[in-house]
Amino acid sequence: MNKKSNGIMAYLGTIGALLILCVLWTILSKNFLTYSNLMSVLKQTSFNALLSTGMLFCLITAGIELSVGANATFSACVMGMLVTRGVTNPVLLIVIALIMGTLIGLINGTLLTRLHLPHPFVSTLGMKNFLWGAALLVTGSQMISFNAAPGVMWLGSATIGGFPVSFIVVVVIYILLHILLTKTALGRSIYCAGGNMEATRLSGINSANVLTFCYALSGFMAALAGIVSVGRSGICNGTNAIQPYDTDAIAACVIGGASFMGGKGTMFGTMLGALIISVLRNGFSLLAIDSAVQNMVLGLVIIGAVLLDVTRENMAAKARRKAAAAQAK
């Protein structure tokens, strides 16, 4: 009962932070609370929310995925390269991008579980730099337009009554993955792997397969985010692979209640975190605040969220020790 109450209180705090931020931007900018701007926020949220889903699964297993942004850019650049070679079938382009992204995630998972690299920080950071170079290579360091394949841009650009289709897709995906995490044996195995890897092994769960699934899913979601980014901009650009998209995804997860220590995190909390990041960036843009300041503030937000998580963990551990001591008496 206490655990459930704590979860509700954590959500209330995050929702409260989002509402306070919205009120602040409304006071500072008359354009914030317009319908077109709010729909723009949802469009911005879609990209980060998709990256954050894969990041959340990795964080739950006490891992991290630093190549999600580069993977999204590379997947988009592969489509761009194919367009320049006359491939314009949107279904084929999208399928190839999703396969490429998933394959990269699978490689990250294999490096961790089969080749036993010491930490996913190593393999995913290396993969980020590799994909940055690969994205520049396949595009010849040029921006590529998708005007010849407008169907590819539909997911990221289409709206229904002004409401972005990409955000509808995000909501559907979040509901499905919430069910996976909370109602299936695989979901329980993912949380178990993050909470205690040794206990997971002793219980008969193949932890290597669980971790590989999480990183492959992260790759798939990154590719889907790359497809959405093409719809928003109409181009692909290999230089974007080095952008701090992974930082925004980590921030969304941590703000939403995920922990670097593993075993924690929910889809609903991650959605709230992604919305907070998008609202922050949107307000900064409306007020014409320099991007350097934006990144500084986001860095402080991440540090604050991690400090809050560490404080919560320490308080919970202290409470458990007190309860154990009282029971021993």
Side-chain angles (χ1 to χ4, degrees), residues 188-230:
R188 290 189 289 274
S189 298
I190 292 170
Y191 280 110
C192 187
N196 190 321
M197 190 64 74
E198 182 62 18
T200 303
R201 186 184 65 80
L202 294 174
S203 64
I205 297 171
N206 191 321
S207 57
N209 287 347
V210 171
L211 291 175
T212 302
F213 168 81
C214 290
Y215 284 89
L217 176 66
S218 180
F220 177 88
M221 299 310 300
L224 190 57
I227 295 166
V228 168
S229 71
V230 165

Side-chain angles (χ1 to χ4, degrees), residues 25 28-32 37 279-295:
W25 292 149
L28 296 176
S29 174
K30 62 181 181 181
N31 295 321
F32 176 76
N37 185 64
V279 169
L280 257 178
R281 290 201 178 278
N282 179 261
F284 287 145
S285 298
L286 290 175
L287 299 175
I289 295 176
D290 188 84
S291 61
V293 177
Q294 294 185 34
N295 290 328

Side-chain angles (χ1 to χ4, degrees), residues 57 176-184 186-188 190 213:
F57 274 68
L176 292 176
L177 292 182
H178 168 75
I179 294 171
L180 186 150
L181 280 174
T182 58
K183 305 296 182 182
T184 69
L186 176 58
R188 290 189 289 274
I190 292 170
F213 168 81

Side-chain angles (χ1 to χ4, degrees), residues 19 22 30 60 103 126 138 152 156 177 183 315:
L19 292 176
C22 289
K30 62 181 181 181
I60 290 174
L103 180 61
V138 298
V152 176
L177 292 182
K183 305 296 182 182
M315 291 177 65

